[in-house]
Amino acid sequence: MSNQGNNAAVDYDVVVIGAGFGGMYMLYKLRELGFSARAFEVADDVGGTWYWNRYPGARCDVESVEYSYSFDPQLQQDWVWTERYAAQPEILRYAQHVADRFDLRRDISFTTRVEEAQFDDATATWTVRTGGTDERTVRSRFLVSAVGCLSSANWPNIPGRESFAGDTYHTGQWPHHEVDFTGKVVGVIGTGSSGIQSIPIIARQAEHLYVFQRTPNYTVPAHNRPLTPDELADVKARYDAIREKNRTLSGGFGAQYERGEIGAMEVPDDVRDAEYEKRWQIGGFNLLGGYTDIILSKESNETAAQFVRRKIGEIVHDPAVAAALTPDHVIGCKRLCIDTGYYETFNRPNVTLVDIHDTGIDEITPSGVRAGGTDYALDALVFATGFDAMTGSLLKMDIRGPEVSLREAWAAGPRTYLGLGVHGIPNFFVITGPGSPSVLTNMIMSIEQHVEWIGDCLVAMRDGGHARIEATEPAQDQWVDYVNMVASMTLFPTCNSWYLGANVPGKTRVFMPLPGLPPYREQCDAVAANGYEGFALA
Ligand code: NA7
């Protein structure tokens, strides 16, 4: 056990909560730096979001060669991605491979939930109580949350929800066995990314599919395809340069594609449309990369939005259905979806779009869904209703500092310094927490940056003989103001997205992620270089 400037007896230097991509790399890093650590994970295996989200069509919207760890050069050379956008089973296999390769499982307690953690100021230690298979109370010097941003399923409070007699599913808590909808009448509630990915596949199986849509969404074709050995070899030969380039990009991905350097209104309409068409054919987030101001200027944004609206009209045969599928909000303000055959699915005779924008769902009954006064009889009902994002899983645990709990500190919305630390909760770090770029980026790149920053911080504390670190209130206040200021310069806060907490009734509306990875990385590095400025070390 290392000496952290503190002689209190502990079981571990660090307790890590969660064994998804954040928790796994944190564990690896802590071991490498000579700290003892234990991770507690609710699931019975690693993988985090990719363990839970097993719904048909679940696929990452960042390309596989980029949505992968960069910390180990041999790992990225050895692993063979088979598709441009990896599907959930392949990403889960990758997570399992990483766990085996670095022998991580011996320090992870699976099917074990962190219930509560209390910081004791006298000894500068955490007392952590767990429940489940490895139920016990352990002491550690530090607590690191790697619970993920999209891990707390949002089950909407629709009257009668529990009364449905057929099979009920949530995309974020999908069963481990194969679900076959053949011959069934199925309802899907929700048209975010999970709905948009699963609907085309469920439609191919079901006798009939009803899609209950509250808000239409923009989605762009993935043009997913197998990766050829030559393509992979080319990426692997240039991997370091690709990763380096990604570190300079706002979202931390897309190194292989050209990015525009001027605003959308600086070119004539036909040039702009040709640019959008070219990018639509490439597929994915690319669509929004042609101009610098799509998420900054309403006028520029409208040109991209109009382009996708036109596409919907061209793809969907029935004009009334096309109109109902056409969004009117800012494009990219909710996370853009990436699909395979989504709009085309509404041309199928066995698919009905039920527009519940004005009516909502009246009730769920034993036999199905009643919406707008009409009863839809169903054999199975899929909730693709998303997550209590970014704060849900953190606040499920009772994390208590000396004088204030995390729930109290965040009662009016999450407040952090750098998204990493919370005033009032010492020796506690959050990987990809609110107030950091996190969900606006390639998550694995953001995870690596946070884990490495936390690792460096713990080493600096060890070297300096410090036992306690806490974000100061003024630094946190300034950071919150800064995140709000940056967000307000963009169009992100203009629609009801989960970035704002708007999808969960009663949740405080705060724009939680910080746009722009490269300046953020510089700010984190400067804080470290200046002796962890904004944190009080003792
Ligand atoms: P999202 O993007 O939050 O989508 C959830 C969908 O469920 C969305 O269409 C919601 O409509 C709808 N919803 C939520 N509650 C209700 C109720 N009560 N009634 C009807 N419809 C409802 O979650 P996803 O899982 O699809 O995707 C989350 C992220 O995962 C995604 O952005 C990617 O980053 C990966 P709304 O738009 O709120 O009107």
Side-chain angles (χ1 to χ4, degrees), residues 150 156 189-194 214-215 334-335 356 384-387 498:
L150 296 167
I189 301 176
T191 50
S193 181
S194 305
R214 186 164 71 182
T215 313
K334 291 181 178 213
R335 189 174 172 111
I356 56 165
T385 45
F387 303 90
W498 56 259

Side-chain angles (χ1 to χ4, degrees), residues 429-488:
F429 297 103
V430 185
I431 297 175
T432 63
S436 77
S438 62
V439 291
L440 295 177
T441 69
N442 173 356
M443 281 302 283
I444 297 194
M445 173 158 283
S446 284
I447 283 168
E448 288 189 329
Q449 186 242 337
H450 268 187
V451 166
E452 286 157 18
W453 191 95
I454 294 167
D456 289 347
C457 176
L458 295 182
V459 168
M461 289 184 69
R462 181 170 61 193
D463 293 349
H466 298 298
R468 188 184 192 280
I469 182 168
E470 180 185 352
T472 67
E473 197 164 19
Q476 178 170 284
D477 288 348
Q478 262 181 31
W479 187 255
V480 171
D481 289 347
Y482 171 73
V483 175
N484 287 335
M485 188 268 291
V486 175
S488 70

Side-chain angles (χ1 to χ4, degrees), residues 17 26 90 137 149 199 242 268 278 299 314 344 408 448 457 461 522 533:
I17 314 169
M26 192 73 247
E90 188 167 23
T137 300
C149 296
I199 282 164
I242 292 172
K278 185 183 86 188
E299 194 184 14
E314 285 164 19
E344 290 84 347
E408 288 160 351
E448 288 189 329
C457 176
M461 289 184 69
E522 280 170 26
E533 195 176 15

Side-chain angles (χ1 to χ4, degrees), residues 64-66 68-69 76-77 81 234-244:
S64 53
V65 295
E66 298 182 301
S68 49
Y69 287 124
Q76 71 182 12
Q77 288 301 323
W81 292 107
D234 175 52
V235 166
K236 288 182 179 180
R238 296 182 296 116
Y239 235 143
D240 288 349
I242 292 172
R243 302 293 195 184
E244 210 37 59

Side-chain angles (χ1 to χ4, degrees), residues 323-493:
L325 283 167
T326 301
D328 59 9
H329 55 266
V330 157
I331 188 168
C333 148
K334 291 181 178 213
R335 189 174 172 111
L336 190 65
C337 298
I338 315 292
D339 73 279
T340 300
Y342 177 69
Y343 294 127
E344 290 84 347
T345 297
F346 293 90
N347 293 330
R348 295 177 65 98
N350 71 331
V351 175
T352 304
L353 181 69
V354 184
D355 186 349
I356 56 165
H357 182 265
D358 297 332
T359 61
I361 290 175
D362 309 333
E363 189 183 1
I364 293 176
T365 66
S367 60
V369 165
R370 183 174 308 135
T374 303
D375 278 300
Y376 299 88
L378 304 171
D379 301 315
L381 183 54
V382 175
F383 288 86
T385 45
F387 303 90
D388 182 355
M390 303 199 76
T391 56
S393 295
L394 271 165
L395 296 177
K396 264 187 197 158
M397 301 175 288
D398 187 11
I399 295 176
R400 294 191 304 272
E403 276 153 28
V404 71
S405 71
L406 189 65
R407 288 174 185 156
E408 288 160 351
W410 286 9
R415 297 181 74 78
T416 68
Y417 177 43
L418 301 175
L420 279 159
V422 181
H423 176 66
I425 319 281
N427 289 15
F428 174 57
F429 297 103
V430 185
I431 297 175
T432 63
S436 77
S438 62
V439 291
L440 295 177
T441 69
N442 173 356
M443 281 302 283
I444 297 194
M445 173 158 283
S446 284
I447 283 168
E448 288 189 329
Q449 186 242 337
H450 268 187
V451 166
E452 286 157 18
W453 191 95
I454 294 167
D456 289 347
C457 176
L458 295 182
V459 168
M461 289 184 69
R462 181 170 61 193
D463 293 349
H466 298 298
R468 188 184 192 280
I469 182 168
E470 180 185 352
T472 67
E473 197 164 19
Q476 178 170 284
D477 288 348
Q478 262 181 31
W479 187 255
V480 171
D481 289 347
Y482 171 73
V483 175
N484 287 335
M485 188 268 291
V486 175
S488 70
M489 289 163 61
T490 71
L491 299 170
F492 281 122

